[in-house]
Amino acid sequence: MFAKKLAMHSGMDYAIMTGGDIAPMGRDGVTAMHKVFDWSSTSRKGLLLFVDEADAFLRKRSSEKISEDLRSTLNAFLYRTGEQNDKFMLVLASNTPEQLDWAINDRLDEMIEFALPGKAERERLVRLYFDQYVLEPASQTSSQGRGLKVEEMDFGQLCSDIAGVAKGMSGREIAKLGVAWQAAGYASEEGVITRAMIMEKVQDALKSHEQRVSWLSDEEVREKK
């Protein structure tokens, strides 16, 4: 989402690839990498190339065990990004940036850490998804089947309460909450979303969150923080 917004505000075209796409290519990876950068030079507006899960591909050559094919592809990537270029902008995303090759870090002008949302951010996210998945559908008249209704309640206070108990939850987990609220409303007998129903889904999400955290290794916990 950050890369898309950056491309939009920069007036650039946008393309995405993942680090996991590279390893299965084997010896064809070098050719594919050159094609990507050759293609980026054809954009009149310039291209923002977003590499998700970059550590799956751009790993340290000195300490990581990588195949010769992957090493060659990485070297091709380094060759094509060795100089300043006004044809493309490179954005890398990684949960383990310490695994990136030193030459990759040397090419990065800015580094931005996206931590878990704090209380204020959680409240904004809860309000966003509450509007999107609950209030907006409830305000629309459905021509097919029954519509969605919402019990009378203080929506602002409800969102603040949810944000307060949702400590440690990611933006994705909060978005899934919105979907769960809507689904529960449609599945109810009266098609009405109640406060009790909403808080029940919040508690279910918190239990699931705690369970997933308990499965993480110590290293993964540090990365998540």
Side-chain angles (χ1 to χ4, degrees):
M1 185 181 295
F2 170 78
K4 288 182 180 179
K5 291 294 185 181
L6 181 60
M8 181 181 70
H9 288 293
S10 301
M12 305 177 74
D13 291 326
Y14 175 84
I16 182 171
M17 62 178 285
T18 68
D21 294 334
I22 304 301
M25 292 183 179
R27 65 181 61 185
D28 296 327
V30 173
T31 301
M33 188 57 56
H34 285 301
K35 284 183 177 179
V36 167
F37 285 100
D38 289 341
W39 171 68
S40 70
S41 65
T42 64
S43 171
R44 294 182 178 180
K45 297 190 296 183
L47 178 76
L48 189 150
L49 178 60
F50 175 56
V51 184
D52 198 12
E53 304 295 343
D55 53 276
F57 158 48
L58 305 174
R59 305 174 74 86
K60 295 177 181 178
R61 292 166 293 175
S62 58
S63 58
E64 297 287 343
K65 294 181 179 180
I66 61 176
S67 68
E68 286 303 313
D69 290 332
L70 189 58
R71 184 183 297 273
S72 297
T73 306
L74 171 55
N75 287 335
F77 182 92
L78 294 174
Y79 171 74
R80 297 303 295 259
T81 57
E83 297 179 353
Q84 298 291 337
N85 193 315
D86 59 2
K87 291 294 185 180
F88 68 87
M89 178 187 296
L90 188 64
V91 177
L92 308 180
S94 173
N95 289 325
T96 54
E98 68 277 3
Q99 294 183 1
L100 296 176
D101 190 88
W102 69 269
I104 297 298
N105 289 324
D106 188 54
R107 283 157 170 74
L108 302 178
D109 297 325
E110 301 285 345
M111 284 189 259
I112 303 174
E113 179 182 4
F114 291 92
L116 289 172
K119 173 67 164 55
E121 291 80 14
R122 289 198 304 273
E123 184 164 346
R124 287 200 295 269
L125 287 168
V126 171
R127 289 177 181 273
L128 170 67
Y129 295 120
F130 191 81
D131 286 343
Q132 181 177 342
Y133 292 109
V134 177
L135 297 183
E136 288 183 13
S139 66
Q140 299 171 357
T141 56
S142 177
S143 58
Q144 298 178 348
R146 65 179 182 179
L148 190 67
K149 301 176 183 178
V150 184
E151 180 184 67
E152 178 125 359
M153 66 184 86
D154 186 339
F155 301 135
Q157 184 60 51
L158 174 65
C159 291
S160 295
D161 293 343
I162 294 171
V165 300
K167 185 176 181 180
M169 293 181 68
S170 66
R172 183 182 290 108
E173 289 175 307
I174 295 173
K176 289 180 179 179
L177 261 180
V179 176
W181 297 332
Q182 186 184 95
Y186 280 123
S188 66
E189 291 185 5
E190 302 296 330
V192 178
I193 299 178
T194 66
R195 179 186 176 90
M197 187 185 298
I198 289 171
M199 296 308 296
E200 180 183 356
K201 294 301 178 183
V202 171
Q203 292 303 318
D204 290 344
L206 287 172
K207 290 178 182 177
S208 297
H209 172 79
E210 291 173 0
Q211 181 64 66
R212 284 193 291 270
V213 170
S214 71
W215 291 337
L216 298 176
S217 66
D218 292 340
E219 182 179 355
E220 288 172 323
V221 170
R222 289 193 295 271
E223 292 171 4
K224 188 175 178 61
K225 289 181 179 179

